[in-house]
Amino acid sequence: MNGFYLQGEMKGYIEKPWANDPTKFNRQVGIVTRVYDDQWGQKQENVQSVDIPYELADQVKQIANDLIGKTVVLPVVPSARKGGRDGAWLSVFMPKDGTIREVKKPAPVKAA
């Protein structure tokens, strides 16, 4: 399985019911990958939604809530699939053996 590491600010964990079956849920974390000023000078954020495996949902929910607002890194795998209204979609998911880790900033170096 090929993928990459995603780094950014943890926004949190959500569970969204499926539109066609409200007894099933999509579990995701949101990671801010870019903050920028729009043409009006307003701060905007690009947030990447990462699908979480059902088996990790409880564990990831706790970790995500503890790390809201902090910089994190996690492995993700892209997935392109046929279907939906537009014919296809692209998503990223965290593999079952993946972990979310906080990125610690190094301590400032004091000048001598």
Side-chain angles (χ1 to χ4, degrees), residues 84-106:
R85 288 186 296 246
D86 300 325
W89 72 87
L90 176 67
S91 64
V92 294
F93 67 92
M94 188 173 90
K96 291 180 184 176
D97 61 349
T99 57
I100 299 173
R101 299 178 195 263
E102 181 179 2
V103 176
K104 301 282 187 177
K105 294 181 182 174

